[in-house]
Amino acid sequence: MESNQTSKKAIVVGAGLVGSLWAVFLARRGYQVEVYERRSDMRAAGYTGGRSINLAMSERGWKAIEKAGIREKIEKVAIPMPGRMIHSVEGELSFQPYGKAGEAIYSVSRGGLNLELLSIAGSFPNVQFFFDHRCLDADLERPVLTFEDTGTGAVKTVEAPLVFAADGAFSAVRYAIQKTDRFNYNQFYLEHGYKELSIPPDANGRHRIDPSALHIWPRGNFMLIALPNADGSFTCTLFLPFEGEVSFEKLTGNDAVNAFFKKYFADALPHMPTLLDDFWGNPTSSLVTVKCAPWQWQNRILLIGDAAHAIVPFYGQGMNAGFEDCTILDAMHDELDGDWSRIIPQFARERQPDGDAIAELAQRNFIEMRDLVGDPQFLLRKKIAARLHERHPDFLPVYSMVTFSNTPYHVALEEDDAQNRLFERVLRLEDAEHNWDGVEEVFGQWLNGKLNS
Ligand SMILES: Cc1cc2nc3c(=O)[nH]c(=O)nc-3n(C[C@H](O)[C@H](O)[C@H](O)COP(=O)(O)OP(=O)(O)OC[C@H]3O[C@@H](n4cnc5c(N)ncnc54)[C@H](O)[C@@H]3O)c2cc1C
């Protein structure tokens, strides 16, 4: 029996990456889908690529995209990044592969991907979009959603027996649920902000630095990263504390910005002719983690994507996690015969520990990226982990587990804790790099201890 959906009607709030993908999944199952989005229709505006902000797509994202039927199309414009290119202060480069040969994360354009997803959702006759519709509130009891037409200011209500809230980190639907009894909510801002900058193509339209890597300039408490775009440019992101000795608040004018880049990112500076325009033209944005529970209200309203689990971007998993929400929900639809009164609570219960886990892993990876990637002990750990994986294929480095597998995030987090214990011991060995017998011995002990626990 399929409950809550006698008319098979579903409302999706938010047509960002997750909302538009989920609309495709619902449409394929024959639902009458209404999608409400506060922004205008980017298809009508004819998305041109514009300022191309990109995201790293990995296994979980690809799996969902494949199910939506657009993997091939996205793959054509995705740029493989098989590793990190670390830039030292002196400008020395070192390349660290992310996984085994053939494994890579992919740089994809956020706008381009969103546009593809909207286009495929829009190709279903059973999907109706309402752009320029901002959700103001949800009356949970009735249940109805209130929208404002941002063009005319008109306010209307929409009956909403089955709602998927994909309206992002500051979800209006979640805000309504937050006011109900026994809803837990935790919001945490990093002391760092970020600013998008760019490395434009060279005079021949080509990339100025190696496009087959995610570039990182780790500088202890802050860092610059750059992801390649298909048009020959790179989108760079500067992560820096808002306040303090070295911080956004200290970068008060052109001289300060130039001096800062000259001191810390000297090898990037010559490739950034638009630095000052970018710096003053682009906002300094904050980085929030949102954890909440339960992700649903009375088996009728479900939070998905950032609305349920907004995380910091340092594992490149926010979108991937949101896309995986769609894959898992879709599988549960099969498993539970489309009975939303069972799917919604089960999903909310089982998936939430994964949302919390990837939030934690993402915070840990920030420390790794900005700090440890330049640390010899960290590099040694990576080397030994890769070698252990070669010799014991069941031993998967946590980065690979998160990025190149579909292992639940909460399992990856447990493994991270366990591997931290392992490497704490391994790195205490004298000359661990060459003392392979010693490494194997510690590994054996760890494995046994782990199996016994
Ligand atoms: C700097 C940065 C870098 C990142 N890099 C990566 C990466 O490399 N890889 C990765 O996997 N993830 C990355 N992420 C995370 C990723 O951007 C998000 O996880 C992803 O966009 C979440 O998708 P979403 O659809 O849930 O939310 P959003 O993308 O925020 O979409 C929400 C949609 O809802 C609409 N909306 C909001 N409020 C309302 C309302 N009241 N009424 C109607 N509509 C509304 C919005 O206009 C928007 O279209 C990054 C994030 C940041 C900030």
Side-chain angles (χ1 to χ4, degrees):
M1 269 296 288
E2 302 201 349
S3 65
N4 272 349
Q5 47 130 336
T6 38
S7 61
K8 287 198 77 159
K9 185 180 157 187
I11 288 184
V12 177
V13 185
L17 295 169
V18 175
S20 49
L21 177 66
W22 183 234
V24 174
F25 276 86
L26 288 170
R28 289 166 82 113
R29 290 194 176 270
Y31 285 84
Q32 291 298 325
V33 189
E34 290 181 4
V35 186
Y36 291 84
E37 165 58 48
R38 76 175 167 196
R39 291 179 303 182
S40 298
D41 187 353
M42 66 188 335
R43 295 169 305 173
Y47 176 77
T48 54
R51 209 166 61 84
S52 176
I53 294 180
N54 39 22
L55 299 163
M57 172 103 89
S58 50
E59 167 58 25
R60 297 167 208 261
W62 285 122
K63 188 173 174 187
I65 287 291
E66 184 161 349
K67 263 197 148 182
I70 55 168
R71 180 173 182 140
E72 260 180 41
K73 207 162 185 179
I74 301 299
E75 249 171 8
K76 275 190 196 134
V77 286
I79 303 180
M81 301 181 291
R84 302 157 158 155
M85 187 69 84
I86 306 299
H87 296 245
S88 74
V89 181
E90 293 76 30
E92 284 157 8
L93 299 181
S94 58
F95 180 78
Q96 297 172 10
Y98 278 128
K100 292 182 297 197
E103 284 179 330
I105 58 173
Y106 289 79
S107 177
V108 296
S109 147
R110 175 194 286 275
L113 180 58
N114 210 156
L115 185 68
E116 280 305 333
L117 290 168
L118 287 174
S119 302
I120 181 166
S123 69
F124 286 89
N126 47 331
V127 174
Q128 208 180 349
F129 282 111
F130 298 85
F131 289 100
D132 305 303
H133 274 65
R134 188 160 71 96
C135 180
L136 298 179
D137 198 8
D139 180 339
L140 303 172
E141 295 299 336
R142 283 169 65 191
V144 294
L145 298 178
T146 306
F147 292 97
E148 176 196 25
D149 181 325
T150 56
T152 64
V155 172
K156 70 175 179 193
T157 54
V158 174
E159 270 194 47
L162 179 60
V163 177
F164 299 96
D167 49 343
F170 302 98
S171 166
V173 179
R174 188 191 64 224
Y175 189 61
I177 304 178
Q178 260 167 254
K179 295 178 210 153
T180 63
D181 195 27
R182 298 184 61 220
F183 183 84
N184 291 312
Y185 178 71
N186 180 294
Q187 171 182 306
F188 174 78
Y189 280 98
L190 226 57
E191 65 181 40
H192 293 69
Y194 71 94
K195 197 183 269 293
E196 305 277 1
L197 303 167
S198 86
I199 296 179
D202 68 13
N204 301 313
R206 286 199 288 263
H207 291 102
R208 291 171 188 246
I209 54 177
D210 185 352
S212 54
L214 191 157
H215 292 259
I216 310 181
W217 290 259
R219 297 294 180 263
N221 194 27
F222 57 96
M223 67 175 172
L224 179 72
I225 68 167
L227 275 76
N229 295 311
D231 66 358
S233 67
F234 279 82
T235 304
C236 307
T237 313
L238 172 65
F239 296 96
L240 186 68
F242 279 103
E243 288 125 26
E245 195 62 28
V246 183
S247 66
F248 279 113
E249 73 168 358
K250 292 282 160 59
L251 302 178
T252 48
N254 289 349
D255 288 349
V257 173
N258 273 325
F260 171 72
F261 272 79
K262 211 168 166 186
K263 180 167 181 188
Y264 294 109
F265 310 119
D267 66 328
L269 188 57
H271 302 306
M272 303 178 81
T274 56
L275 173 64
L276 295 175
D277 287 344
D278 293 343
F279 197 92
W280 302 118
N282 295 336
T284 306
S285 307
S286 52
L287 292 161
V288 70
T289 298
V290 169
K291 292 183 187 171
C292 62
W295 287 0
Q296 64 107 354
W297 194 81
Q298 294 202 351
N299 307 346
R300 290 195 296 230
I301 300 179
L302 183 65
L303 307 173
I304 56 174
D306 275 19
H309 47 77
I311 62 175
V312 290
F314 306 112
Y315 228 118
Q317 284 295 311
M319 165 194 66
N320 285 287
F323 281 6
E324 191 176 53
D325 289 349
C326 300
T327 314
I328 291 175
L329 262 180
D330 193 58
M332 280 189 185
H333 193 281
D334 285 336
E335 194 188 311
L336 301 174
D337 298 326
D339 179 355
W340 290 108
S341 69
R342 289 193 292 151
I343 300 168
I344 289 180
Q346 181 168 322
F347 176 84
R349 196 174 51 247
E350 291 181 1
R351 180 70 171 153
Q352 190 221 321
D354 291 323
D356 291 350
I358 191 58
E360 170 65 23
L361 284 164
Q363 304 231 24
R364 290 184 187 179
N365 218 45
F366 182 33
I367 297 169
E368 169 167 333
M369 279 178 86
R370 68 178 199 202
D371 195 357
L372 303 176
V373 281
D375 173 346
Q377 283 290 90
F378 169 79
L379 298 180
L380 180 57
R381 174 178 166 156
K382 283 264 156 197
K383 224 183 205 174
I384 296 174
R387 197 144 167 229
L388 278 173
H389 176 50
E390 257 170 46
R391 294 173 66 131
H392 307 274
D394 284 347
F395 175 81
L396 203 54
V398 176
Y399 187 88
S400 297
M401 207 176 254
V402 170
T403 308
F404 303 123
S405 89
N406 299 292
T407 306
Y409 289 127
H410 77 271
V411 176
L413 179 62
E414 284 163 14
E415 185 65 16
D416 198 51
D417 289 335
Q419 290 191 14
N420 285 341
R421 287 195 294 274
L422 166 68
F423 284 103
E424 201 185 301
R425 294 262 306 277
V426 166
L427 294 177
R428 264 194 264 140
L429 291 169
E430 206 166 308
D431 193 19
E433 185 168 4
H434 303 107
N435 180 4
W436 195 251
D437 287 345
V439 172
E440 283 286 3
E441 194 185 328
V442 173
F443 180 66
Q445 287 164 2
W446 175 77
L447 213 50
N448 283 334
K450 200 177 154 205
L451 291 177
N452 293 341
S453 69

